[in-house]
Amino acid sequence: MLLKVNENYFNPEKPTIIIFGQETNIWGEKNHNTYFDIRDDSEETIKSVMGHYEWQLNRLKSKSTLITLNIAIKEQLSYKYNILWSNLYKYSYDGKRLTKNVSKEHFKNIMKHQKAFMKFELELFQPQGMIFLTGKKLDTEIEYNLNSQVERVENYGEFCSKLKITSEFDISKDIKAFRTPHPDRYRWEKIDKNDVLECLLKSFK
């Protein structure tokens, strides 16, 4: 699906790193409502979610720590890797974040689509690296969405951890995986974005 967003963004001859944010939250146009799309029309689902990703991937300037970190990783590593963007939660609801705006019944239904979506994405791109800008509290969500077990195997201060991810999906068992707090937390937790960036770049160069 991401190939359709920008065919020049992905070179099949390069290995791939996928950066995972937390969730789709009011990305792009206000009329995006991907929950109703998945319920009613799968083609509209793809169109709507693609709109979110296209908007995100084409942002060249931003004051957001999340976006500037993403751009910095891409600038430093794209000579060697495809740098793709994804989210643990792919869908929004009525222009708002999914996890806070649907009933338990609707959430369960959406998550069935979510895991299938994640499986398709990972098995298509076969990443050799994953970077989770999600914080340790979402390790359970990583396990669910990647149908996997997550083990923290090494810490680099408070700002970066190396993970071992054992997934039931048809992907490599030797993926390099790292997790940092969500970049919006850096200021509150007194984390220097440059320390995070240096740790990630050393791990993949």
Side-chain angles (χ1 to χ4, degrees):
M1 189 194 76
L2 292 178
L3 286 172
K4 294 181 180 179
V5 173
N6 186 344
E7 292 179 356
N8 295 322
Y9 197 73
F10 182 83
N11 181 347
E13 296 182 359
K14 290 182 181 180
T16 295
I17 296 171
I18 300 181
I19 304 172
F20 289 91
Q22 291 184 351
E23 59 187 345
T24 301
N25 179 22
I26 322 175
W27 283 12
E29 301 297 330
K30 293 182 179 180
N31 62 354
H32 284 159
N33 188 338
T34 52
Y35 169 67
F36 286 118
D37 291 339
I38 66 172
R39 187 184 65 180
D40 298 331
D41 190 330
S42 59
E43 185 173 337
E44 283 300 310
T45 301
I46 295 174
K47 180 179 178 182
S48 183
V49 179
M50 278 176 58
H52 291 313
Y53 285 122
E54 185 173 26
W55 178 81
Q56 186 79 340
L57 292 172
N58 290 329
R59 292 177 71 178
L60 300 179
K61 294 182 180 180
S62 175
K63 294 182 180 180
S64 164
T65 305
L66 173 72
I67 302 303
T68 56
L69 179 62
N70 187 24
I71 291 171
I73 293 170
K74 179 182 175 184
E75 288 178 344
Q76 293 291 324
L77 294 179
S78 60
Y79 75 97
K80 185 177 180 181
Y81 296 93
N82 298 303
I83 307 297
L84 303 183
W85 175 265
S86 189
N87 267 328
L88 286 182
Y89 294 107
K90 305 260 189 252
Y91 303 111
S92 61
Y93 178 76
D94 201 19
K96 300 175 184 177
R97 62 179 66 218
L98 168 67
T99 52
K100 300 181 184 299
N101 288 281
V102 297
S103 68
K104 290 182 179 180
E105 180 183 354
H106 288 170
F107 187 77
K108 184 177 180 180
N109 180 41
I110 291 169
M111 292 310 291
K112 290 179 182 179
H113 293 271
Q114 166 67 43
K115 183 176 283 191
F117 196 150
M118 186 72 75
K119 182 177 188 293
F120 172 79
E121 187 172 65
L122 295 182
E123 292 183 353
L124 173 65
F125 292 114
Q126 292 294 320
Q128 293 191 9
M130 296 181 183
I131 299 171
F132 294 92
L133 309 180
T134 55
K136 61 185 178 181
K137 290 184 179 180
L138 290 188
D139 282 0
T140 302
E141 280 75 4
I142 295 174
E143 290 185 328
Y144 176 84
N145 288 317
L146 275 67
N147 204 25
S148 65
Q149 292 183 333
V150 174
E151 178 185 357
R152 186 177 60 190
V153 295
E154 192 170 356
N155 275 339
Y156 305 95
E158 293 297 319
F159 56 83
C160 189
S161 297
K162 184 177 182 180
L163 304 178
K164 179 181 179 181
I165 295 179
T166 307
S167 175
E168 296 297 321
F169 296 160
D170 185 17
I171 57 176
S172 172
K173 304 299 182 185
D174 299 314
I175 295 173
K176 291 183 179 180
F178 297 86
R179 186 238 301 130
T180 85
H182 190 281
D184 286 351
R185 300 291 305 170
Y186 290 178
R187 182 175 63 170
W188 307 111
E189 298 181 21
K190 297 182 179 179
I191 294 171
D192 188 332
K193 183 188 75 173
N194 292 323
D195 288 338
V196 177
L197 183 61
E198 182 180 0
C199 173
L200 295 173
L201 294 180
K202 282 183 178 179
S203 300
F204 287 105
K205 281 191 172 180

